[in-house]
């Protein structure tokens, strides 16, 4: 299987690095030239829970040099999804599938608009990873990957991708309800990301402050009400208990939103709490905590832009 990882940040490098180590033909595609040059010159340096090593994996700024692949694995930030899929055209041939494991709502729709639902695979990842600097990532926590197809015709490809990931040490299961599973991950992000970005705390430290635990719970409960009103099947999981469990399991991690704020970069607030607020408005569901979190993170983004 030929794979191109588009968006070689913390998560893209984690997946690309694991696949390369397992002998999969994988290329990293990213716009950050210094990072790409450093990976090509010295290899990708991975530290953390899966061990300290340097992985040789080709990287490029130009997808044309990679050509058509079997799988485009999209790991750009959610606000860049539409643009990245359009820019990935040289990678996409007759049988290519595009897999998103990104955070947030709206990625499936943005990809489908360009390539059609038959080519789209979606899912979630529970790994934690931090981009330390050019060519350096820290694998902060391990967890399952879920992959599913939007259309039944792509299910066998989803299974092949899951086999490839499992062979590379990325524990992966098939999802029979991609949208429901993505919502499940969004609920986790609602409870953790904005609060860590605003406080500077690691995921696990949120649990040590009763007032923050309460906000985590309310942010998740609001999200559950919006999802249910939108007809999403969230299964029987207790999503509030689950967000506390994930915060504990990824306790040492700096959430992706905290990493963005620390680097003065735009966050994914619009695709997370912001989407829930917007959808809640349409469906008549009040979301005051998510509204406040969205506004406060927007304030942080504004401060960085001054
Ligand atoms: O997905 C994450 C993120 O940081 O975006 C969690 C699960 C919160 C792990 O850090």
């Amino acid at each position: 299987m030929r794979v191109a990882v588009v968006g070689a940040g913390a998560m893209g490098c984690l997946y690309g690095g694991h696949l390369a180590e397992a002998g999969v033909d994988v290329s990293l595609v990213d716009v950050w030239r210094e990072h790409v040059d450093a990976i090509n010159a010295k290899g990708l340096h991975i530290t953390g829970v899966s061990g300290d090593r340097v992985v040789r994996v080709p990287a490029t700024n130009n997808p044309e040099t990679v050509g058509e692949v079997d799988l485009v694995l999209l790991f750009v930030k959610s606000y860049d999804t539409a643009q990245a899929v359009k820019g990935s055209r040289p990678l996409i041939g007759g049988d290519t599938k595009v897999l998103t494991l990104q955070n947030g709502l709206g990625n499936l729709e943005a990809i489908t608009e360009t390539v059609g639902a038959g080519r789209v695979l979606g899912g979630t990842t529970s790994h934690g990873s931090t981009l330390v600097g050019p060519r350096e990532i820290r694998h902060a926590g391990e967890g399952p990957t879920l992959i599913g197809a939007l259309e039944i015709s792509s299910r066998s490809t989803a299974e092949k991708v899951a086999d490839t990931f499992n062979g590379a040490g990325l524990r992966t299961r098939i999802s029979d309800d991609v949208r429901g599973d993505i919502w499940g991950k969004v609920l986790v992000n609602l409870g953790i990301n904005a609060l860590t970005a605003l406080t500077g705390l690691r995921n696990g430290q949120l649990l040590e402050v009763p007032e923050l635990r309460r906000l985590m719970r309310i942010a998740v409960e609001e999200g559950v009400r919006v999802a249910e009103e939108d007809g999403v099947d969230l299964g029987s999981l207790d999503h509030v208990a689950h967000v506390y469990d994930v915060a504990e399991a990824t306790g040492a991690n700096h959430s992706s939103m905290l990493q963005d704020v620390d680097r003065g970069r735009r966050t994914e607030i619009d695709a997370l709490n912001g989407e829930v607020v917007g959808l809640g408005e349409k469906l008549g569901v009040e979301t005051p905590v998510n509204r406040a979190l969205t506004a406060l993170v927007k304030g942080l983004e504004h401060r960085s832009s001054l």
Side-chain angles (χ1 to χ4, degrees):
M1 176 175 290
R2 286 199 82 217
V3 181
V5 178
V6 174
M11 297 303 295
C13 283
L14 183 70
Y15 277 71
H18 274 78
L19 292 172
E21 282 182 296
V24 177
D25 179 353
V26 56
S27 303
L28 303 178
V29 182
D30 200 274
V31 291
W32 185 15
R33 187 167 289 278
E34 190 190 355
H35 181 49
V36 163
D37 290 346
I39 292 171
N40 286 328
K42 296 186 192 159
L44 173 66
H45 187 192
I46 304 179
T47 60
V49 294
S50 53
D52 185 339
R53 72 271 196 204
V54 172
V55 182
R56 287 285 165 185
V57 49
T60 181
N61 297 121
N62 180 2
E64 278 175 22
T65 62
V66 179
E68 290 178 9
V69 294
D70 301 303
L71 181 73
V72 173
L73 174 51
L74 210 60
F75 261 128
V76 296
K77 293 290 181 182
S78 48
Y79 47 80
D80 280 332
T81 300
Q83 192 57 39
V85 182
K86 289 191 185 105
S88 298
R89 284 199 195 278
L91 305 168
I92 300 175
D95 293 324
T96 308
K97 304 283 189 240
V98 181
L99 167 62
T100 165
L101 298 178
Q102 299 156 279
N103 276 343
L105 298 170
N107 295 305
L108 290 175
E109 293 75 6
I111 301 167
T112 299
E113 206 165 289
T114 302
V115 300
R119 288 174 181 277
V120 184
L121 305 178
T124 60
T125 171
S126 301
H127 284 274
S129 184
T130 305
L131 184 63
V132 180
R135 91 176 189 91
E136 300 253 2
I137 61 160
R138 188 169 50 81
H139 190 181
E142 276 175 323
T145 302
L146 285 177
I147 295 180
L150 286 196
E151 290 190 353
I152 191 77
S153 57
S154 301
R155 191 184 160 99
S156 63
T157 314
E159 283 165 0
K160 273 189 214 138
V161 174
D163 286 348
T164 305
F165 281 16
N166 278 314
L170 298 160
R171 195 160 36 93
T172 303
R173 282 187 280 120
I174 290 292
S175 162
D176 291 318
D177 177 10
V178 175
R179 286 178 208 282
D181 287 330
I182 289 178
W183 255 103
K185 175 76 191 292
V186 166
L187 294 174
V188 169
N189 294 129
L190 293 183
I192 295 178
N193 290 31
L195 287 169
T196 51
L198 287 161
T199 58
L201 294 174
R202 292 170 190 262
N203 296 356
Q205 290 170 328
L206 292 178
L207 302 170
E208 294 163 9
V209 184
E211 291 80 355
L212 292 177
R213 279 182 80 103
R214 181 160 181 271
L215 282 187
M216 290 169 82
R217 174 175 60 73
I218 301 173
V220 174
E221 285 170 350
E222 288 178 4
V224 167
R225 280 197 291 277
V226 171
E228 283 175 350
E229 193 63 31
D230 200 30
V232 178
D233 180 1
L234 291 174
S236 56
L237 189 69
D238 176 341
H239 289 276
V240 173
H242 183 57
V243 77
Y244 293 150
D245 288 347
V246 174
E248 197 172 322
T250 61
N253 203 23
H254 288 196
S255 79
S256 55
M257 198 173 286
L258 175 56
Q259 291 182 50
D260 288 337
V261 166
D262 282 347
R263 288 172 171 263
R265 292 197 334 197
R266 185 175 167 188
T267 73
E268 294 186 301
I269 194 73
D270 287 328
L272 295 168
N273 312 67
E275 274 285 327
V276 167
V277 173
L279 201 51
E281 263 171 26
K282 275 192 213 139
L283 298 168
V285 181
E286 294 287 326
T287 55
V289 164
N290 283 288
R291 189 181 290 281
L293 292 174
T294 303
L296 291 167
V297 172
K298 293 257 177 204
L300 283 184
E301 289 181 343
H302 184 60
R303 192 181 65 187
S304 304
S305 72
L306 293 177

